[in-house]
Amino acid sequence: MTTEAFDVPTLTGQLRAALRHGVRAASLAAHSSDLIDLLTAGNPGTRDERAIVAEQIIRTATEPLGPDIGPAMRIMLGLEPGTWHTRIETRRNRAATLLGIEPGTFRRRSHEAAYLRDIAWEIWQTRRNPA
C-alpha cells in the first residue's frame, strides 16, 4: 500500500508514469500498483478488483475535458478500443491527429502535461468533495 500524499502533483506524476502501459485495469494491475493504491485507498477487494475501480475513476475524470480533449486523452491513456496494446508513440500520434496538431506539439507542457494535470485535478476534486 502506498503512503504517497493524495494531491494533484502526486496524482499527475502517477498518471504520467502509467502512460507507457496505459491505465486499463489489466495494465494498472500489472504495472501501476501505486496508482491503484492511491486511487482506491480504503476500498476493499483484491488488487485486480481495485484496478477496475481505478480505471473507472480515471475514465470518469476524462469526461469533463470535453468532446475533443477527452477522447484524445482516453487514447493517450490506452482506454479507447484499439489503443490497449499500442506503443505510447502510436497513441500520441493518434491523439495529436484527433486534435489537429503535431505529435511533438502535443507532447509539450501546454498539451499532454496540462491535460494530465486536468485529469488529476478532476480526480482530486471529486475525492475531496464526494457527491
Side-chain angles (χ1 to χ4, degrees), residues 45-85:
T46 66
R47 174 151 335 250
D48 291 343
E49 291 167 332
R50 292 183 304 114
I52 294 167
V53 172
E55 176 188 332
Q56 189 55 50
I57 290 168
I58 297 166
R59 188 180 293 276
T60 299
T62 66
E63 291 172 11
L65 295 175
D68 297 326
I69 297 168
M73 288 310 293
R74 285 190 293 277
I75 289 168
M76 278 299 298
L77 295 166
L79 293 171
E80 290 291 313
T83 64
W84 300 345
H85 298 288

Side-chain angles (χ1 to χ4, degrees), residues 7-37:
D7 57 29
V8 174
T10 301
L11 285 166
T12 303
Q14 288 289 335
L15 287 168
R16 177 167 297 289
L19 271 180
R20 179 173 177 214
H21 297 287
V23 299
R24 284 189 61 238
S27 295
L28 289 171
H31 305 286
S32 301
S33 59
D34 286 346
L35 182 56
I36 293 170
D37 291 344

